[in-house]
Amino acid sequence: MTAPTSTRAPYQYVVLRCVPRVDREEFVNLGVVAYCQDRDFLASACRFDEDRLRALWPEIDVDAVRSALVFVDGVCRGDDRFGAAAAGSLSTRFGFLKAPRSTVVQPGPVHGGITADPATEVERLMELLVR
């Protein structure tokens, strides 16, 4: 007797962090980006709480944070309005989004898992790590 075929697939994700002052090493989780090669899946989800960010950093440029999150979403969707970063394969786009950068919105380390439904996993990660 053969074992049943698994419908689960490996995926990778990063948590998007707002890091307004790198020197203080403080951050707030804003969202996640998940990539599942086997399912041709790349998506992001975010929770932008302006009051929370301003409570921690009153001088934060909330428009810059909003713009960065819109950019991430556009790259995930492959929206050509976001330039070359949004033009590659899903793997290339995830590679771009997970690369370290010194902007106010930064990706955390890459983590992995196995899921039957990447979209549901994005929501689970949001609940666990962001909300």
Side-chain angles (χ1 to χ4, degrees):
M1 178 175 246
T2 60
T5 307
S6 174
T7 60
R8 295 165 40 113
Y11 72 96
Q12 300 176 63
Y13 72 93
V14 294
V15 176
L16 298 174
R17 301 170 169 175
C18 180
V19 187
R21 289 198 43 201
V22 176
D23 60 319
R24 291 184 61 141
E25 297 184 15
E26 296 174 332
F27 61 86
V28 172
N29 291 343
L30 298 175
V32 296
V33 177
Y35 168 61
C36 181
Q37 181 177 353
D38 292 355
R39 302 289 166 80
D40 277 341
F41 180 88
L42 177 63
S44 68
C46 300
R47 178 177 180 265
F48 185 85
D49 185 339
E50 183 174 338
D51 293 334
R52 182 176 180 203
L53 291 176
R54 286 206 187 277
L56 295 170
W57 305 285
E59 68 282 356
I60 192 162
D61 182 349
V62 292
D63 291 333
V65 174
R66 249 190 223 102
S67 292
L69 296 175
V70 167
F71 178 79
V72 167
D73 180 62
V75 170
C76 285
R77 290 183 293 104
D79 186 328
D80 60 3
R81 292 178 294 171
F82 295 94
S89 67
L90 295 182
S91 175
T92 300
R93 288 185 271 160
F94 181 67
F96 176 83
L97 294 170
K98 72 179 182 179
R101 47 186 50 84
S102 61
T103 62
V104 70
V105 175
Q106 301 176 3
V110 177
H111 301 281
I114 298 174
T115 184
D117 182 355
T120 299
E121 192 65 16
V122 167
E123 288 306 312
R124 186 187 77 79
L125 292 169
M126 283 293 294
E127 192 62 38
L128 181 67
L129 302 170
V130 179
R131 294 187 180 115

